[in-house]
Amino acid sequence: MQLADTEIKYEGYVKQHRQQIERFKLSEERMIPKNFIFNIKSLSTEAREVFEKVRPETIGQASRLPGVAPTDISILIGALN
């Protein structure tokens, strides 16, 4: 009975974690066009410079670059849509 109680207690956390994993997988696959211009005013200057220098191929790669904040990734995703 204790195992069932634990599963019920943490069901919401497990579901949320699975959703985060799915979003992560999608970001790893989401391609950035090779000719994409990163000159987006909303991006931080540092992120813009890093993106132009490195030219990440996917959102996942872009999100792991030093100096790139989660808000920069959100802005980049919005610009790609």
Side-chain angles (χ1 to χ4, degrees):
M1 187 64 173
Q2 204 172 22
L3 180 61
D5 290 339
T6 303
E7 287 178 359
I8 291 169
K9 182 176 180 180
Y10 292 103
E11 180 180 5
Y13 294 109
V14 171
K15 182 179 177 182
Q16 183 179 8
H17 188 67
R18 285 188 180 133
Q19 290 172 341
Q20 288 174 334
I21 291 169
E22 285 304 312
R23 284 193 299 270
F24 175 77
K25 286 179 184 177
L26 290 174
S27 74
E28 287 299 312
E29 298 169 0
R30 178 83 187 269
M31 300 299 291
I32 300 172
K34 291 189 184 297
N35 61 347
F36 187 78
I37 299 170
F38 293 98
N39 193 13
I40 304 165
K41 290 185 179 191
S42 305
L43 284 175
S44 69
T45 302
E46 186 174 8
R48 222 177 300 134
E49 290 172 357
V50 170
F51 290 155
E52 286 294 340
K53 182 179 179 183
V54 176
R55 303 295 304 173
E57 295 179 7
T58 66
I59 295 294
Q61 288 175 349
S63 68
R64 291 188 297 275
L65 293 171
V68 176
T71 53
D72 294 318
I73 297 302
S74 294
I75 293 165
L76 179 58
I77 290 170
L80 289 170
N81 287 335

